[in-house]
Amino acid sequence: MTRASETQGGPVVLSKEGLPGWLDPVVRAVETVEPRQLSRFLPPKDGAGRQSAVLILFGEGERGPELLLMERASSLRSHAGQPSFPGGALDPEDGDPQGDGPLRAALREAEEETGLDPSGVQLFGVLPKLYIPVSAFVVTPVLGWWREPSPVGVVDPNETARVFTVPVADLTDPANRATATHPSGHRGPAFLVESALVWGFTAGIIDRLLHFAGWERPWDRGKQVPLDWRS
């Protein structure tokens, strides 16, 4: 696969060939999960919303399988300070939002935000499009295997506060799980990992992937972490 900036106009392929065996449950989950099993917020039927994509990148670190996350800069207009997957809105040059546009956008945004080399990423699946009402984003989650890891870090401090990986073992550890409660009344899964509180859309996706991949361990859903109005 070529660098994202060199793929404009050319196909960006999905391939399950040569994936590590531990990713098999994730592959099966991606192939079978229904939109409503992931979120109650689905894209508007009238086509409204800004098309975007995120890269859910699985790698293998010193402690086994891990996910790449970043923390958004606190100065950003939307989702400031939140840990998230790399990603963002589709650009016209990314191509068809209903075709491989989201694949290209996920790689391009990850390269822009974390400095990773997309040529080392093997895309293997796409989840159903979901919706983030607070920002009106229609999000396509794109899954990848970090076949050839490359150095990552903050590219633009105005966009990103830090880039980090989280072992899947820490995400499945019941001690690191909680329910985030917002003053608006919204409640959702949260993860306390790598000195960060992962909540909202990102935590929801991780929670569902762990569940449908069969990796979830019983955890105390009564353990609450309050959020403030600025979140």
Side-chain angles (χ1 to χ4, degrees):
M1 189 178 295
T2 53
R3 185 171 282 268
S5 56
E6 298 169 359
T7 61
Q8 291 165 9
V12 181
V13 298
L14 291 174
S15 171
K16 301 180 182 70
E17 193 174 324
L19 294 174
W22 57 260
L23 266 176
D24 288 350
V26 178
V27 173
R28 285 194 297 271
V30 172
E31 291 173 342
T32 57
V33 71
E34 298 291 332
R36 285 277 177 206
Q37 294 177 307
L38 290 174
S39 174
R40 60 192 177 96
F41 298 115
L42 301 182
K45 287 185 168 55
D46 62 4
R50 192 172 182 196
Q51 295 290 330
S52 63
V54 296
L55 179 64
I56 303 175
L57 185 58
F58 286 91
E60 192 146 5
E62 294 178 1
R63 295 180 51 216
E66 60 185 18
L67 275 176
L68 178 69
L69 295 178
M70 50 173 272
E71 197 169 298
R72 295 168 60 81
S74 57
S75 57
L76 289 176
R77 192 171 54 195
S78 64
H79 309 294
Q82 281 192 37
S84 67
F85 300 116
L90 268 67
D91 286 347
E93 60 266 26
D94 292 324
D96 184 4
Q98 308 307 321
D100 63 4
L103 308 184
R104 197 173 283 108
L107 288 175
R108 175 184 55 75
E109 285 283 346
E111 182 177 15
E112 292 175 1
E113 293 176 330
T114 74
L116 71 74
D117 182 354
S119 66
V121 175
Q122 176 180 338
L123 301 182
F124 66 85
V126 176
L127 288 171
K129 292 180 185 287
L130 302 174
Y131 189 59
I132 304 180
V134 67
S135 54
F137 276 119
V138 174
V139 185
T140 301
V142 179
L143 287 90
W145 158 238
W146 212 352
R147 177 179 291 283
E148 298 173 18
S150 52
V152 290
V154 174
V155 176
D156 182 356
N158 293 317
E159 284 196 14
T160 310
R162 66 175 174 139
V163 177
F164 58 102
T165 56
V166 180
V168 171
D170 287 351
L171 294 167
T172 59
D173 186 343
N176 297 333
R177 305 212 53 181
T179 298
T181 59
H182 195 276
S184 66
H186 177 75
R187 297 162 59 89
F191 300 83
L192 297 99
V193 289
E194 300 296 325
S195 305
L197 173 64
V198 184
W199 63 282
F201 176 84
T202 304
I205 293 287
I206 294 173
D207 171 78
R208 294 294 80 197
L209 278 176
L210 296 180
H211 175 77
F212 287 111
W215 292 349
E216 184 179 38
R217 296 163 59 190
W219 57 281
D220 180 7
R221 296 170 189 272
K223 177 182 172 185
Q224 297 187 10
V225 177
L227 303 168
D228 63 29
W229 278 111
R230 292 168 296 176
S231 299

